[in-house]
Amino acid sequence: MNKIIVTSALLAGLSSSAFAVGLRPSSSALTSAIEVLNLPGENRRMVIRGQGDKHYQNFISVAFNEAQPMSLRWRALMAAAEAKGMQATADLVKAGAHKQWYMRNAALVALSEVNPEQGEKLAQKLLKDKALVVRSAAVSVLEKSSSMTVRELLWEELNQGYNFKNSQSLWIRHQIVEILAQKPMDREIRSFAQLLSDKDQRVHLPAVRGLEKLTGIKLGGGQEKPSALVGLWKNYVKKEAIEL
């Protein structure tokens, strides 16, 4: 009951001139925006659906305010995207080039929801981001794409130096192979076969799944340990003279 009262009061307050869109929102408008952002999720979404256009610029101001904590700025950018949808594209693209990794990450997640085409473009760019978590988010966004360009980019990223640390494979490589193995292409059989000998054992089984789909063959009786199954596929590759 208290939540409903708080939400109703905020909805009433948001209709005032304090939430008028402007390049420099007043301190009272920003305070009201922060109050909305601190509401429980369901209540926050209710306010955004009811008054989104009126407080969009205030959310953007909070998102780009360096004095605010990361969690609040993240919620602000997400709220802005929910409030304006595709019309938030320009601000989200701007956030996608922000110096803070979490702003780039939030922008990518939000943009992929409200404008998938632009979200994919940003994801392709952020595949090379300096922050691993952002690169991983970019891979997740590109999972939805079926374009050959994206597949080629993912194969290229697999062996980039920044996806290793001290010669050790980072988990994003496993993530990439999992995605590539979902709908493998005939011309990729050599690449999947090569991954059977990769130093990172986490890529072996998704590589096997890719080979199974490409060849239509399942080796063994299904009870083998992963290492044994990989061994069977290595022997198959050698027997069939698949060029590595």
Side-chain angles (χ1 to χ4, degrees):
M1 181 67 179
N2 290 336
K3 290 182 178 179
I4 295 175
I5 293 174
V6 170
T7 302
S8 299
L10 280 165
L11 280 170
L14 292 177
S15 63
S16 69
S17 58
F19 255 108
V21 174
L23 293 178
R24 294 184 179 180
S26 66
S27 59
S28 61
L30 289 178
T31 298
S32 297
I34 291 173
E35 289 176 352
V36 172
L37 293 170
N38 284 326
L39 285 171
E42 183 179 347
N43 298 61
R44 183 170 66 249
R45 286 188 289 273
M46 185 185 304
V47 174
I48 293 170
R49 285 194 296 267
Q51 300 288 333
D53 285 345
K54 292 187 177 181
H55 53 78
Y56 171 81
Q57 191 59 50
N58 300 308
F59 286 153
I60 290 297
S61 295
V62 172
F64 282 90
N65 187 336
E66 299 286 346
Q68 300 299 335
M70 176 182 74
S71 59
L72 186 66
R73 295 175 70 184
W74 180 290
R75 290 199 301 275
L77 201 60
M78 292 298 178
E82 187 174 354
K84 281 279 191 175
M86 186 175 287
Q87 291 178 303
T89 296
D91 286 318
L92 295 176
V93 169
K94 179 182 176 182
H98 199 277
K99 64 181 181 180
Q100 298 286 2
W101 70 266
Y102 56 83
M103 288 289 284
R104 301 193 299 275
N105 199 88
L108 179 59
V109 173
L111 192 58
S112 67
E113 290 295 326
V114 302
N115 191 335
E117 182 179 349
Q118 291 300 315
E120 183 174 314
K121 289 182 179 180
L122 180 59
Q124 291 183 31
K125 178 181 178 181
L126 294 181
L127 274 177
K128 298 183 179 295
D129 195 87
K130 60 185 178 181
L132 176 59
V133 67
V134 177
R135 298 201 301 276
S136 178
V139 171
S140 295
V141 168
L142 294 176
E143 181 176 1
K144 305 170 187 176
S145 175
S146 59
S147 81
M148 286 303 302
T149 298
V150 167
R151 291 192 69 83
E152 290 171 359
L153 282 174
L154 291 175
W155 279 111
E156 289 174 6
E157 292 303 306
L158 192 60
N159 292 315
Q160 295 292 342
Y162 42 73
N163 287 327
F164 294 82
K165 184 176 182 179
N166 298 326
S167 300
Q168 295 296 311
S169 174
L170 296 176
W171 49 266
I172 191 173
R173 297 184 69 246
H174 166 256
Q175 180 188 9
I176 290 173
V177 180
E178 286 279 7
I179 290 172
L180 289 169
Q182 291 176 9
K183 296 180 180 179
M185 309 293 290
D186 287 341
R187 64 184 182 135
E188 298 171 341
I189 189 168
R190 178 172 174 263
S191 297
F192 282 110
Q194 288 177 325
L195 288 171
L196 297 174
S197 298
D198 195 279
K199 291 181 180 179
D200 187 348
Q201 295 183 358
R202 292 172 294 184
V203 307
H204 293 171
L205 288 183
V208 165
R209 288 193 288 273
L211 289 169
E212 288 176 341
K213 292 175 182 178
L214 288 171
T215 63
I217 295 173
K218 286 187 176 291
L219 299 178
Q223 302 299 318
E224 292 81 11
K225 293 182 178 179
S227 59
L229 181 60
V230 172
L232 289 175
W233 272 100
K234 285 183 177 179
N235 291 334
Y236 175 87
V237 167
K238 184 182 295 184
K239 178 181 177 181
E240 297 298 317
I242 297 175
E243 185 181 353
L244 298 179

